[in-house]
Amino acid sequence: MESRKDYRKMMNIKKRNKNYVKATVLATLGLGVFATTTVQASAEEWKANTVEQIKEAVKQVKDGIYIIKSGDTLSGISEATGITVQTLAKVNNIENIDLIFAGDKLIIKTEDGKVALVDSKNNIKNEVKLSKEDKQGINEVQKQENNNVYTNNANSTGINNNDGVINTVKPTKPSTGNNTGNSGTATKPVNPIKPVDPVKPVDPVAKEYTVTIKHITEDGELLSIETTKAKENTVVKAKALDFSDRGYEPVGKDTQSITVLTDSTITFTYKKKDNVIPPVENKVSISIKHIADDGKVLSVETQMVEEGTIVKADAKDFTEQEYVLDDELTKSVKAVEGATITFEYRKVETPQPIEKFNVTTQYVAEDGTKLADNKVQEVEKGTLVKEDAIQINGYKLVGDSTQSVVANSNKTITFTYAKDEKPYEPKHTSETVTQVIDENGTNLGTVVPNGYTVVGESTDNGVVTTAENGDTHTVFTKTINVKKDYVPVHTEETVTVNVDTNGTPLASTNGYKYVSESTDNGVTTTAENGDTHTVYKKTVVWEKDAPVVPTNPYVGQQKEVIRGEYNGTFYEGLGNSGMVWGDQMTASLWAIHEIANGGNGGSYLTWQVRVKGTNEIMWTAHLN
């Protein structure tokens, strides 16, 4: 968000730009060089209607549409209906609440908590939700009308409470804000606020008045009219406009100025120029508006320009009124009747400086002798400061022991003391502070934490301090030594024991085959530090391997051998015994008994063979 200073700098740079054709634009629009302007109603004789007159007219409305009459004000209509000026302006798209025109239609129908305009098919064309103030105002008007003013039907106005009664309101307290001009009446009720604390004074806001600049001919024709808002006691300057293209020249001074004390008017008079034939041209009215985001109309200008021309306008600087441009610097529009150029602005709040004052507290004897150092403190304006007297050795206080001031300026609080005939007897106080220290020397605070055990404590001799009045104070330090609690550790192991089927321990399991195993529940031992250890015993049972004793070791299987191998030599067509066994031992036994001995002795061979068909490895033998 740019500051007011940055905004003004931007505007000045724009004005200095050599391509900035402001003079041409002003000539085209017929604008002067005075401050902000706004459209003003006709200067003919005008008399405001009373609220009672407006109320009578409101009763005659149809379909919730009120026809504005000469003498009506928006605030008067608000008071007659109970609807706030702000809501009326919003639902009716009124940009300047001080400017309404006789004959215009005004929506005042309220229903279901809204004020709205509907068409013949009951479709909502425009609506605004009723505010809390609207509802309060409508109820107040209803009370004034003895709770039965308007009947809720197709031609009624007011808010529908679903009981056939329409509520309208009269404001109970005048409102400030933007409702100035012809109305001068309240638009929003304000409930009284009960004060509970002192309120900081607010600097008065300078009053604003309307300055009207008229440009008229000697025979009374109005050439141009503008208005501007100006603060009280400020100087407003205006310059005559150039109407030479219309055959007029100013009479008298080209520049006028006034000091604003009330609503004022500056009038420039023009006469027909000699021997000038005004050109024949078709003039149309265009508006140049400067609108703030809070609804305030900063300026409205209405000018007559030649139809069909392109009209350019520049945004104005309203930083003095705390508004900055939130739009383009320059805009243009084609001149047709009713054309409008609108510049949008937003409010910039300027923080008010905080005023501060010094409050000094002094301590003096009755003869003015300074007894202690002054206490000086800076506080915001309007702050209530309270101070208590201090004790001074050999003196006693004269007057209140507590004093207070409101810091509306630099203030002084003075405590006065008289010489004390009785000497002051110093007082002694003491306190003990605790610290918890672990075995590493770390300070753990003032309380022994969980998980620690106290192993000792001690208190020192204390540190003594003495005040100016002789009072003494001793601070003792109590040290608690702790150590972190040990968390026991649990370990476990399994010891394996091999035994035979009789339970005899085995040094080796060679020649044994596995039978079964089991593990006991273990034996747990606890060390001095709390550690535990569990030893589990696993017992594995083995049985001794039995020798291979075939049921009939001498009978093999007769199978057809396709190939054989012995000591790395492969044989084909061997196996003259025609018998094969599953192992070499059986083959050898058969060979000894059946071939060697049965054959009356002799040597024999055994070798691996593969059986035809299955390729199974077997053993066979034959007599050598």
Side-chain angles (χ1 to χ4, degrees):
M1 180 180 292
E2 71 274 9
S3 64
R4 293 175 57 190
K5 180 178 179 181
D6 294 336
Y7 173 75
R8 183 170 293 172
K9 180 179 179 181
M10 177 183 69
M11 293 293 292
N12 289 336
I13 293 173
K14 178 68 175 178
K15 292 176 182 177
R16 290 197 302 267
N17 193 307
K18 63 183 179 181
N19 295 322
Y20 186 51
V21 289
K22 180 174 182 180
T24 303
V25 174
L26 293 176
T28 303
L29 299 180
L31 303 179
V33 294
F34 38 79
T36 61
T37 58
T38 182
V39 173
Q40 178 161 303
S42 174
E44 65 184 13
E45 187 65 26
W46 184 89
K47 181 178 180 181
N49 294 328
T50 66
V51 174
E52 294 303 323
Q53 289 174 323
I54 298 175
K55 281 185 178 181
E56 290 301 317
V58 166
K59 293 179 181 179
Q60 308 303 320
V61 301
K62 295 182 178 180
D63 298 326
I65 301 297
Y66 177 73
I67 305 301
I68 299 174
K69 298 171 180 56
S70 177
D72 284 351
T73 61
L74 199 59
S75 61
I77 298 171
S78 170
E79 189 171 353
T81 61
I83 307 172
T84 62
V85 169
Q86 290 75 17
T87 298
L88 288 173
K90 187 174 182 180
V91 75
N92 289 284
N93 298 317
I94 298 175
E95 296 179 347
N96 185 351
I97 61 175
D98 298 327
L99 187 62
I100 58 177
F101 299 94
D104 284 356
K105 295 180 179 180
L106 194 68
I107 305 168
I108 61 172
K109 181 178 180 179
T110 59
E111 189 171 359
D112 296 331
K114 300 184 290 292
V115 56
L117 173 65
V118 297
D119 58 20
S120 59
K121 297 182 179 179
N122 209 32
N123 296 319
I124 296 176
K125 299 175 66 177
N126 193 17
E127 68 176 8
V128 173
K129 187 177 180 180
L130 291 172
S131 66
K132 179 180 179 181
E133 290 79 7
D134 292 322
K135 295 176 181 178
Q136 289 175 346
I138 292 171
N139 287 333
E140 183 64 24
V141 168
Q142 183 188 29
K143 290 178 183 178
Q144 292 180 0
E145 297 293 334
N146 295 322
N147 296 322
N148 191 20
V149 179
Y150 302 120
T151 300
N152 183 21
N153 53 40
N155 298 324
S156 65
T157 62
I159 183 169
N160 182 6
N161 286 330
N162 297 322
D163 56 3
V165 178
I166 304 305
N167 302 328
T168 53
V169 156
K170 176 181 179 180
T172 57
K173 185 175 181 180
S175 164
T176 58
N178 293 332
N179 186 25
T180 60
N182 295 330
S183 61
T185 57
T187 61
K188 177 181 179 183
V190 179
N191 295 326
I193 300 174
K194 180 180 179 181
V196 293
D197 293 311
V199 179
K200 183 177 179 180
V202 179
D203 294 334
V205 179
K207 294 181 179 179
E208 281 190 344
Y209 292 101
T210 301
V211 178
T212 304
I213 299 94
K214 291 184 177 181
H215 303 267
I216 61 176
T217 65
E218 289 179 322
D219 55 5
E221 180 185 352
L222 182 64
L223 299 177
S224 176
I225 182 170
E226 305 100 18
T227 63
T228 183
K229 296 290 186 181
K231 294 183 178 180
E232 188 176 23
N233 292 320
T234 59
V235 176
V236 174
K237 292 183 180 181
K239 185 177 180 181
L241 303 181
D242 183 4
F243 294 104
S244 58
D245 57 340
R246 297 170 64 179
Y248 289 97
E249 62 183 0
V251 177
K253 297 180 179 180
D254 289 341
T255 303
Q256 297 185 45
S257 62
I258 60 170
T259 299
V260 178
L261 299 175
T262 184
D263 292 344
S264 308
T265 301
I266 298 175
T267 301
F268 290 96
T269 304
Y270 299 80
K271 67 177 181 179
K272 279 286 187 180
K273 296 173 65 175
D274 296 334
N275 301 322
V276 173
I277 300 175
V280 178
E281 56 187 14
N282 186 16
K283 294 285 186 177
V284 294
S285 172
I286 68 166
S287 296
I288 303 172
K289 300 179 180 181
H290 303 262
I291 309 297
D293 57 359
D294 57 7
K296 183 176 181 180
V297 179
L298 303 176
S299 172
V300 176
E301 304 164 9
T302 301
Q303 295 296 326
M304 301 298 296
V305 298
E306 185 175 353
E307 185 176 16
T309 58
I310 301 300
V311 179
K312 292 184 178 180
D314 300 303
K316 293 186 177 182
D317 185 358
F318 294 100
T319 53
E320 291 298 329
Q321 299 182 41
E322 298 185 343
Y323 290 94
V324 296
L325 181 66
D326 198 16
D327 210 334
E328 300 174 18
L329 286 173
T330 302
K331 290 185 175 182
S332 61
V333 68
K334 185 175 182 179
V336 295
E337 185 62 38
T340 302
I341 295 176
T342 301
F343 293 97
E344 297 181 355
Y345 295 76
R346 55 184 170 81
K347 184 75 172 177
V348 177
E349 299 294 341
T350 303
Q352 298 297 323
I354 299 175
E355 192 172 5
K356 295 185 177 182
F357 295 103
N358 288 333
V359 176
T360 303
T361 304
Q362 58 184 10
Y363 313 90
V364 298
E366 290 180 312
D367 60 0
T369 303
K370 182 178 179 180
L371 301 178
D373 292 337
N374 292 344
K375 178 182 178 181
V376 180
Q377 50 187 321
E378 185 182 54
V379 298
E380 292 185 12
K381 180 180 180 180
T383 302
L384 178 65
V385 179
K386 290 184 178 181
E387 288 294 323
D388 295 322
I390 62 174
Q391 287 186 342
I392 300 178
N393 192 16
Y395 288 86
K396 60 182 179 181
L397 180 66
V398 177
D400 296 333
S401 60
T402 301
Q403 297 186 43
S404 61
V405 295
V406 176
N408 290 325
S409 60
N410 292 329
K411 299 286 186 177
T412 301
I413 296 176
T414 301
F415 291 101
T416 304
Y417 297 80
K419 195 71 176 177
D420 193 354
E421 299 299 333
K422 180 181 178 181
Y424 178 75
E425 296 180 1
K427 298 180 180 60
H428 178 73
T429 56
S430 65
E431 64 175 314
T432 300
V433 296
T434 301
Q435 61 179 7
V436 179
I437 306 296
D438 67 7
E439 60 264 39
N440 298 320
T442 304
N443 191 326
L444 303 179
T446 60
V447 179
V448 177
N450 293 332
Y452 286 84
T453 300
V454 175
V455 296
E457 63 178 53
S458 62
T459 302
D460 64 7
N461 296 325
V463 178
V464 181
T465 56
T466 303
E468 293 182 0
N469 61 0
D471 288 350
T472 58
H473 183 72
T474 303
V475 178
F476 298 97
T477 300
K478 179 181 178 181
T479 301
I480 300 176
N481 297 105
V482 298
K483 70 174 182 178
K484 191 171 182 63
D485 295 339
Y486 180 75
V487 179
V489 177
H490 177 73
T491 56
E492 57 186 35
E493 65 175 315
T494 300
V495 177
T496 301
V497 178
N498 296 310
V499 299
D500 61 15
T501 55
N502 297 320
T504 304
L506 298 175
S508 172
T509 59
N510 290 335
Y512 288 83
K513 65 179 180 180
Y514 173 84
V515 176
S516 63
E517 66 180 51
S518 61
T519 303
D520 64 7
N521 295 327
V523 177
T524 301
T525 57
T526 303
E528 292 182 359
N529 63 358
D531 288 352
T532 56
H533 183 72
T534 301
V535 177
Y536 297 97
K537 182 179 178 181
K538 178 180 178 180
T539 302
V540 182
V541 180
W542 301 82
E543 68 177 1
K544 194 167 184 64
D545 288 342
V548 178
V549 180
T551 304
N552 185 359
Y554 310 116
V555 179
Q557 303 177 47
Q558 188 171 359
K559 294 182 182 290
E560 183 180 357
V561 177
I562 60 172
R563 61 185 182 276
E565 175 185 359
Y566 179 74
N567 292 336
T569 302
F570 289 89
Y571 298 92
E572 299 291 341
L574 297 180
N576 59 328
S577 66
M579 305 296 289
V580 293
W581 286 267
D583 54 74
Q584 185 179 10
M585 181 181 292
T586 306
S588 296
L589 287 173
W590 182 85
I592 291 172
H593 292 282
E594 297 296 330
I595 299 179
N597 296 332
N600 300 316
S603 61
Y604 62 93
L605 293 174
T606 61
W607 68 93
Q608 284 184 333
V609 295
R610 295 184 181 273
V611 179
K612 184 178 180 180
T614 63
N615 213 27
E616 180 183 6
I617 296 176
M618 303 292 283
W619 287 85
T620 187
H622 83 295
L623 186 65
N624 193 15

